[in-house]
Structure formats: C-alpha cells, structure tokens
Amino acid sequence: MTVIALPHHVRRHASVALGTCLLSFAAFWCAQRAAHVSMIDLTVYRAEGATVRAGGDLYALRTTEAHLPTTYPPFAALLFTPLTLLDPAAVRTLATAGNLALLVAFVTLSLRLAGHARAKSVWWASAAAVWCEPVWTTLRYGQVNLLLGVLVLWDLSGRPVRRWAGAGIGIAAAVKLTPALFAVFLLAAGLVEHARGGRGGSLLRHARGAAVAFTGATLLAAAVLPYDSWTFWSRMVFETGRVGLVEDTANQSLRGVLARLLHSAHPGLWWVAAAAVAGVLGVTVAVAAELRGLRAWAVAACAVTALLVSPVSWSHHWVWCVPMTLLLATRGRASAVAAAAVFCSYALWWVPHGPGRLELHQSGVQSALSALYTGAGCAFLAALAVRLSRTSRNA
C-alpha cells in the first residue's frame, strides 16, 4: 500500500484550522455554562424516556417549570429512554459534546455534498457555525436538530449502501415529521424523470426506502406503545397549538410571520394559501435542481421549503442555514456574507417578545426583524429559481 504524504504547508494549515475549531468550541462551551443554559428540551426528552419506562401516558406528560408537553411521535420517546440511565448533569454534558460532534459531521456532509470537503474547510466552517443563532439555540435547549440533519445529509450524500438508501430520511421523519418532505421531493423528482423518458428508478427507490423506514419505525413504536401511538396519530398530530404560541418571534415559519404581520394568532386561510404556494414552488425548484445534477442545491431548497411551510419552525430548526450558507459561498462571497449576517445577528430577539404576547403588537420594522429567517429562506429559493431558469434558457 502506497502512503501519500501531504505537503507540510497543507498539514500546517489543517492543524491551525483544527486548533481554531477546538478553541472556538471551548469558548462556546464556557459561554453556554456562563449563561446557565437550562437545556430545557433535553429535560423534556429525558422525562419522555422515563414515562415510557414507567408505562405512563406520554401525551399527558407536563414537565419542567414551563409545563412543556410531549410533541414528537412516540418513536422519538423510545429513542430517549437511554437518557434515563444517566443523571441530568451527565446527560447535559454528553448532549453538548454530542451536538458539537454532530455539528462537525453536519458541516462535513454539507461540504461533501457541495464538493468542497477538505479537512481545513470543515474545521474553519465548524468553528464559525457554532456561533450562529440556530446552532447556539440548538445546544442551549439540547435539541435534536443536528442529529436529524446528519441523518438526512448522510442519506442524500451518496455514501450509504443502496439497500440503506432512504433509511436516514425515514428515521428522521419518524422522530420529527418535517423531514418527510425530503421523501416527497425524491418521489416527485423520480416521477418527473420517469415522465421525461428517463428511468427515475434510483430516486423512486430512495423515496420508497424512506417510506419503508418511516413505516417500520412507526410500527415499532405502535407495537411497544399502542395507546400513545393511537393518541398521537389520531389526535395530537393535528393539535399544532401544543407546540407553542404561533406568533412567538422564535417561530420562523410563514405561519409565524403572518401571525405577527396580521396581529392575529390565527392567520387562517392566509397561511394555508401561502404555505401551499411556497410548498409547490419550493419542491418544484428542488426537483428542477436535482434533475440538473445539483443535488446539494436541491437538498437545501427542500430543507428551506419544509421550514417555511411547517406550522411551527423554531429558530433552532434553521440549522439548515449552515449548508445553505456554505453553498452560497461556492457561488459568491456577497450572498454568503449576507446569509451569515442574518443567522449570526440574533436580530429576531431584538424585538419585543415574551409574556404578554407582545409579538401581536409589533411595528413594521419589528415585524421585519422577526421575519429575517423566513425572508432569507424565500430569497434563497427565489435566487435558485432564477439561476435555474437562466441555465434552462442557455441550454
């Protein structure tokens, strides 16, 4: 076996990047501890696992001082049961370390998808990404967003063995329903390719694999937790109000933006119409990108679309800003800098928010600040659509 030695300057640059990343992570860890982060969602996950082990009513659970309920499908609660084997302090430490490792994996898969997965690029990007608001908030709450993102990108990066294609998406959707849009995207792309005379078989198999994995995980949960599964799929899945107040400034979906703009907690048909249009156009753009060989752009477009049309997309769900910004950086510095400025500004927290439903009384400027992520997502889809239309005309 031939060993290829890397040039000294390449190894030196990679070492500097790694060192910078480790320092950034250490500073981040200290900052989170100094801020006395509660990791409140992680506490809910652990309580869900304890409820499963005790045979309790999962969707009657209320935990923490905020009396937070269970909102994920029952399969997620099954995955949370190991958290009960450790004390809360150990769980928080492992969750923080695990999320930092997942961030590196998320960045690696994002750059691999974009064709720029050099080691020093991964370390530099990870060192910066940890400070953007969605990632900060994900670790602050002990959320699972990075885990779900890694599952989806692993599935779509071309690395999994074919027989496992779709497994990542299916499992992610069984934990949290939003990633199911990636299966819809694959199905739509496969059908369009087949209608155009192509085979479309690999895309359709990928979509089928996601559906099988989702179904298998859901049936497993139903076998172990029949009552909770019936409760969730027959009732709780439709009660989006359980997640939180729709007008909350942290809700960076179209529904949240419209609620604040209309000064109403019930945007009604305005949201239904906006979500339908955004969903159709977003998936169309993602499919068009996929069929032109732009898998990375297609994945980012699908992720943004899912965040826009979901009834509630908390700011920490927007960890997909990481691959989106890295992709933009491959096209030009200005757009990437603009995206980084949006997601690192924490501007959505500059507006009145908190008890008293202050978001329903925001001014025009305040409403604009609290719609930054949604606006950035719409701008990304629009820019990609323009790019695709231009390449279509030039073809």
Side-chain angles (χ1 to χ4, degrees), residues 21 24-25 100 103-105 107-108 121-131:
C21 182
S24 180
F25 281 8
L100 290 174
L103 174 61
V104 174
V107 169
T108 300
S121 299
V122 169
W123 298 126
W124 284 119
S126 298
V130 74
W131 295 100

Side-chain angles (χ1 to χ4, degrees), residues 297 323-340 380 383:
W297 293 90
M324 185 178 82
T325 304
L326 292 174
L327 267 178
L328 290 172
T330 66
R331 297 289 299 175
R333 183 174 298 177
S335 57
V337 169
F380 176 81

Side-chain angles (χ1 to χ4, degrees), residues 41 49 97 119 134 178 190 196-197 230 267 280 322 395:
D41 288 343
T178 310
R196 289 180 175 178
W230 172 257
V280 171
V322 174

